[in-house]
Amino acid sequence: MTSWLKIKQRFVSTFYLARFLFSRVKKNTILLLEANNCHTELFPSYIKYLKDLGYNVEIAASCNQKGFLPKLDVKKVSYFSLKGFRRILNSKKVKDYDFIFSTSYRLYYPHPEGGKTDSMFFDLFKIKHSPKKGVIFTLHHLEDYDNVMKNSKSAIVLSNVLNKKDSLYTVNPCYFKENLPKNKNKEKTIFITTGALINERKNPHLLFSAARNLLDNGIENFKINIVGDNKKELMPQDLKDFIEIKGKLDFEKLYKELETADFYIPLLDPNEHLRYITTGTSGSFQLIRGFLLPPVIHKTFAIPHFFNSSNSIIYNDNESLAKAMKEAICTNNEKYLALQKSLLNSRCEIMKNATENLKNLLHKYEN
């Protein structure tokens, strides 16, 4: 980080710290907090669920997220450095909130004692003054379960796949904004994928191989957009007219890309990515439902996350991705609308269950 950026972030954090310490907190307010420079995609869903349950919500996010967050339906959004987070959590102001609700328990900062890559929440932060009811955490790594339960009555996971303990509550964040099924693009079918094209998260070679297969068979009425922190050099020259690397976008621009796309390709490989059906989950699953984008997805990952033939295009092995993409390209508008309506019904049911689960979790802290 450059010296100028550090100075800027220090100024930003100091401004919001002063505002935080001297502002009034409404009754029934929850401080929704994310100290990492990620996972803020959970904010829109959790804000909606909490407000539907009658709570006011304030946001505390990393300085790195300033300028990237979407419009959020809350009165106050604050941005802090790591030091700023320490100060607000150590302040008496915490007593004014019903809950402190952290959307991460694991923090991607070096452990203060060294020897570990990451830190747990209470490695970095101390809460001297308790909120009125409790502190809630979202668990993104099941291997942290024992650690989080030392400090909390329960925790949230993002998918039923991860709900392997009685003390965990599934609160799936599949809401981003209000939207309804839309017509399929006529001239070209637009596919989209998001995130870094690195082997730990996706298999980019599947995409390149499938695109070449389509072109070799004379199919050219498609485009693939890749949103995320990827370098332009990643793109093979022979595919540059059909695949575009959009780079890292703020949430508003990301939303626009998702709204103009037809299908989502998670690019998950059962030989590499079984974590996404065992100990972790992918934000791709939330975007698929949030923006009603039928996925072109391997069956290994479809079934555990409730994707089926009524809302998705499913392929059985890596070599069949091109065939599945061809099916997506050939899908007529009537069938496409039916796929989206099925996703919408699924999203409504998941949101209903998420709100109820969150209600039960919050009630647990009141007894």
Side-chain angles (χ1 to χ4, degrees):
M1 186 183 296
T2 64
S3 298
W4 164 243
L5 186 56
K6 287 181 179 179
I7 293 170
K8 181 180 178 181
Q9 290 194 353
R10 191 180 304 130
F11 175 81
V12 168
S13 185
T14 301
F15 168 81
Y16 284 106
L17 176 63
R19 192 185 72 166
F20 177 87
L21 294 175
F22 293 103
S23 61
R24 294 183 61 185
V25 178
K26 284 186 175 182
K27 186 179 179 181
N28 295 328
T29 295
I30 292 178
L31 181 63
L32 191 60
L33 177 151
E34 179 53 74
N36 286 314
N37 187 26
C38 59
H39 295 161
T40 49
E41 71 275 7
L42 277 62
F43 282 169
S45 293
Y46 284 6
I47 289 168
K48 179 169 178 54
Y49 301 155
L50 290 168
K51 293 190 74 172
D52 285 350
L53 292 172
Y55 288 94
N56 298 303
V57 182
E58 292 184 13
I59 295 292
S62 166
C63 285
N64 294 305
Q65 290 287 301
K66 188 170 176 58
F68 281 89
L69 294 184
K71 294 177 182 178
L72 299 171
D73 187 19
V74 296
K75 183 178 180 181
K76 188 186 300 179
V77 180
S78 302
Y79 299 93
F80 300 105
S81 63
L82 189 59
K83 184 177 179 180
F85 277 115
R86 286 196 179 106
R87 292 192 64 181
I88 67 168
L89 290 170
N90 202 23
S91 71
K92 292 183 179 179
K93 197 72 177 181
V94 168
K95 296 192 296 182
D96 295 341
Y97 294 93
D98 280 39
F99 292 93
I100 301 297
F101 185 164
S102 177
T103 48
S104 296
Y105 182 71
R106 179 181 293 206
L107 303 177
Y108 306 122
Y109 297 92
H111 193 279
E113 296 179 3
K116 297 180 181 179
T117 304
D118 301 330
S119 299
M120 300 301 112
F121 189 91
F122 288 108
D123 294 331
L124 297 178
F125 305 132
K126 307 299 178 188
I127 300 180
K128 285 187 177 180
H129 307 277
S130 299
K132 295 174 183 177
K133 296 178 181 178
V135 182
I136 297 171
F137 297 101
T138 303
L139 191 61
H140 294 269
H141 303 263
L142 273 187
E143 56 268 36
D144 299 336
Y145 174 81
D146 291 337
N147 196 308
V148 73
M149 295 312 297
K150 292 177 184 177
N151 301 289
S152 186
K153 292 182 180 180
S154 52
I156 286 172
V157 287
L158 305 182
S159 167
N160 282 329
V161 168
L162 306 178
N163 200 344
K164 300 179 179 180
K165 303 283 185 179
D166 291 339
S167 51
L168 296 175
Y169 291 77
T170 302
V171 184
N172 187 280
C174 60
Y175 173 86
F176 297 89
K177 59 186 297 187
E178 297 297 334
N179 53 24
L180 293 170
K182 65 182 189 302
N183 292 324
K184 185 171 181 272
N185 287 303
K186 291 181 179 180
E187 293 185 6
K188 290 185 178 181
T189 297
I190 300 178
F191 299 92
I192 191 168
T193 191
T194 64
L197 294 186
I198 54 177
N199 291 332
E200 301 94 272
R201 298 181 182 178
K202 299 180 186 296
N203 185 340
H205 303 293
L206 290 178
L207 183 66
F208 302 150
S209 176
R212 290 189 178 105
N213 186 304
L214 290 172
L215 295 173
D216 288 344
N217 284 277
I219 300 171
E220 297 186 351
N221 58 330
F222 71 93
K223 184 183 179 185
I224 304 165
N225 291 326
I226 302 173
V227 178
D229 193 8
N230 299 292
K231 295 181 179 180
K232 299 283 187 182
E233 298 77 47
L234 180 69
M235 179 54 48
Q237 284 298 305
D238 63 315
L239 298 175
K240 61 183 179 62
D241 292 333
F242 297 90
I243 303 178
E244 183 176 356
I245 293 181
K246 298 281 186 173
K248 186 175 181 180
L249 304 178
D250 62 44
F251 279 95
E252 293 294 341
K253 291 177 181 177
L254 168 62
Y255 288 2
K256 289 180 181 178
E257 292 293 337
L258 292 163
E259 287 169 340
T260 58
D262 297 305
F263 293 91
Y264 192 104
I265 312 180
L267 294 178
L268 297 176
D269 182 343
N271 300 312
E272 303 288 341
H273 305 128
L274 291 181
R275 173 183 181 270
Y276 295 112
I277 55 170
T278 53
T279 61
T281 188
S282 170
S284 293
F285 303 139
Q286 312 344 318
L287 293 175
I288 286 165
R289 286 194 170 93
F291 288 89
L292 305 179
L293 290 171
V296 181
I297 186 171
H298 195 288
K299 68 175 182 179
T300 299
F301 304 95
I303 297 170
H305 291 281
F306 304 104
F307 296 115
N308 52 56
S309 59
S310 73
N311 58 33
S312 310
I313 295 179
I314 299 172
Y315 55 96
N316 296 327
D317 51 68
N318 287 342
E319 291 70 27
S320 299
L321 175 56
K323 181 180 177 181
M325 291 176 68
K326 179 181 177 181
E327 181 181 341
I329 293 167
C330 295
T331 296
N332 62 36
N333 195 57
E334 182 180 1
K335 181 180 178 182
Y336 181 69
L337 289 171
L339 292 171
Q340 290 181 94
K341 288 176 182 176
S342 180
L343 281 176
L344 178 59
N345 291 336
S346 172
R347 185 178 76 190
C348 290
E349 185 65 23
I350 288 172
M351 289 174 62
K352 178 182 176 181
N353 291 335
T355 304
E356 186 65 23
N357 290 341
L358 185 55
K359 177 183 176 181
N360 293 335
L361 170 61
L362 297 176
H363 181 70
K364 185 173 185 177
Y365 282 80
E366 295 174 353
N367 297 328

